[in-house]
Structure formats: C-alpha cells, structure tokens
Amino acid sequence: MTGCLLVVGLGPGDASMQTPQAADALAGATDLVGYATYLDRVPPRPGQARHASDNRVELDRARHALRLAAAGARVAVVSSGDAGVFAMASAVFEAVEQGDPGWRDLDVQVVPGISAMFAAAARLGAPLGHDFCAISLSDNLKPFPVVLQRLTAAAGAGFVVALYNAASRARPWQLGAALDAVRAILPPGTPVVFATAVSRDDENIEITTLRDADPARADMRTLVLIGSAATRQIERPGRQPWLYSPRSHAEAAR
Ligand code: SAH
C-alpha cells in the first residue's frame, strides 16, 4: 500500500487560524474527503478530487478515504477545529481497527488544528487557564444520561467545561437540561459564555451567568463555556470583560 491518509484539522474558520502544516497537507492531497461545509473552506486546486458527504456518516466517509489511500491516493480528510476533538480522526481509527487488516500498513497522519475551545478561550482571556475538560452534548453517539453524569461530575469537581455540539435543530432541549443540572451544583453567578462562529464573519460572543444563561442563544456553531467557581471576571467599563481561571488552587479559593 503506497497511498497516504492525512486527517487535517482546519481550525475554527478563519484561514489565519489554520496551521501551515495543515495548509501544506491540503495543497499536497490528490483527494479531499469531508463534510461539504468544511470542504468549502478549502480553496479549489486543479486536478484535486473532492468527495463531499453528509455530516452524519463519519464511518462511511472514513472507510471511503481509507480505500482511496489503499489504492495509492494521497488523501486529506478534513475536520473543523482539531481533527482529534469530536471529529474525523477517531472515525478513521475506528474504521482501521474494524476494517481491512491491510489498512494498518497505510501511512496515516493526524495534522492538528486550533480547536473551537482554544479559539473561544483566546477571545475571552484565559478561562481554560487551570483544569478544564471538553464534553460533547450530542446524544447521537452516547445516551444523554451519560452526558449529564459526566457534566455534573466535572462541574462538581471544579473543572471549567467546554461544551461542544451544544445545540442543533435535531437536539433542541439538551442544552437547557444540561444548564439546569449544573445550576444544582455551581453558584448562580458562575460565568457562562456562548461563543458562536468564532473567527468567522458572524462571530458572536456573549458572556452571561449560570443564572441568566438562555439555551436559545446557542446553535450548532456555538461553543458553550461554563466556568468553575474559581473563574474570575475582570470588569472593563464599556468593554467586554476578561475572564480567566487562576493558575493556582490557593488563588482560586481567594
Ligand atoms: N473538531 C472540532 C469540533 C467539532 S464538533 C474542533 O476541534 O473545534 C462541532 C462543534 O464544535 C460545534 O457544534 C460547536 O460546538 C464547535 N465549533 C466548531 N467551530 C466553532 C467555531 N468557529 N466557533 C464556536 N464553536 C465552534
């Protein structure tokens, strides 16, 4: 098997947030595979084939990419943000583990990208400056009680939580239930952020509190950040406040 498969994180949206390594991987590919919306972010190149697919068929898409690579192509599978965070890299390795044993000889490389949580955090200050975790709110691939159990355990243990896949038309009520579950654990003044379309033209960042957080503010392009009891807000009159989580436990308890 002579082909190769690169799983490429495109970053959160703006081209300036894509790494040079990712740009090289895209430029050198014979074939691009991915969700159509993400492929649209890759400039067209003559001679390069594009295999666009629906967002929900990750495993089929991964198998398709592996077959192309096994036939000798240089394939780039694209994901938004980082390819390993709720994205295609896991689907590729699932397909490898379950699939043709020959696929294990392929040259598979994961090219990292700036995940939505890092792009959002950078806009806000340093909310991920101490212990944090990332949870996908989607119950397509795990039961919602498991989502709630992880979320409440994380919030109760003092982690700042980055919630991916917070809302979509197909999942309208889950974020409200998640916020209610956290309200039972954290103080009402805990900062909550709705960071939508970070780094894109329609970027929108809303800083609120757990008490006032309105789940309707989120759509499928929104990352929701829930602070810990230690997360601090520095007010700046007339400007967006800064949020940060102190580095030391002692400072956090102040
Ligand atoms: N691999 C991606 C995440 C894919 S899951 C990454 O590392 O960022 C899709 C979810 O990511 C969306 O529902 C949203 O919660 C978040 N997301 C992706 N791009 C975003 C952006 N530009 N701004 C805010 N959230 C984003």
Side-chain angles (χ1 to χ4, degrees), residues 11-13 38 41 79-87 113-117 120 163-167 171 195-200 219-224:
Y38 300 150
R41 283 167 43 191
S79 278
S80 77
D82 180 77
V85 177
F86 309 123
I114 296 179
S115 190
M117 63 184 158
L163 280 180
Y164 284 75
N165 295 311
R171 292 181 294 100
T196 300
V198 178
S199 87
R200 300 186 205 154
D219 64 24
M220 60 187 295
R221 301 160 319 142
T222 305
L223 183 99
V224 179

Side-chain angles (χ1 to χ4, degrees), residues 3 25 52 81 113 142 145 155 202 220:
K142 68 187 167 195
D202 51 346
M220 60 187 295

